[in-house]
Amino acid sequence: MSAVFNGEGSLVVSASLDDTIRIWDLKTGKCIRMLIGHTYFVLSAAFNTDGSLIVSSGLDYTIRIWDAYSSVCLMVLRGHTGPVDSAVFNNDGSLIVSASDNANIRIWDT
């Protein structure tokens, strides 16, 4: 599982074995949003550079792109043939790189 700061350092996004992604406010220490959509353990979650989007990946073989403010899943990417261990945006948010546990990586054009 993973936890990653947003660009400002005021929020953290975490991946969880309860199939959710949570956004935490560091000032209060409270969960302010929960993203639900993966159908099995979530292994990674990360913000894009400006903190408006989140990419997540999991044991359900999918990568999901979320609106960080509304918690809406905007897109589900499928193509890996095994659990997706990690996914991250590039610096300008135009690409996502993902890695699966069957030794494959994919680059996705967002």
Side-chain angles (χ1 to χ4, degrees):
M1 296 8 73
S2 68
V4 179
F5 289 99
N6 69 343
E8 300 170 3
S10 59
L11 301 174
V12 168
V13 63
S14 64
S16 179
L17 295 180
D18 68 0
D19 309 345
T20 66
I21 299 111
R22 295 172 195 251
I23 302 173
W24 302 87
D25 183 322
L26 292 180
K27 288 181 186 174
T28 65
K30 294 183 180 181
C31 176
I32 58 172
R33 284 185 282 293
M34 186 168 21
L35 291 62
I36 299 171
H38 280 278
T39 59
Y40 205 24
F41 300 160
V42 182
L43 299 177
S44 76
F47 286 102
N48 67 344
T49 304
D50 70 9
S52 63
L53 298 174
I54 293 170
V55 63
S56 62
S57 66
L59 284 180
D60 61 3
Y61 298 16
T62 67
I63 298 137
R64 295 172 189 257
I65 301 172
W66 306 84
D67 182 298
Y69 303 114
S70 69
S71 305
V72 171
C73 182
L74 303 172
M75 186 179 305
V76 179
L77 304 173
R78 292 178 174 87
H80 283 287
T81 58
V84 186
D85 297 322
S86 64
V88 294
F89 288 99
N90 70 336
N91 286 344
D92 69 8
S94 63
L95 299 172
I96 292 171
V97 65
S98 59
S100 69
D101 71 349
N102 59 3
N104 290 315
I105 65 165
R106 289 186 177 255
I107 298 175
W108 307 84
D109 187 354
T110 60

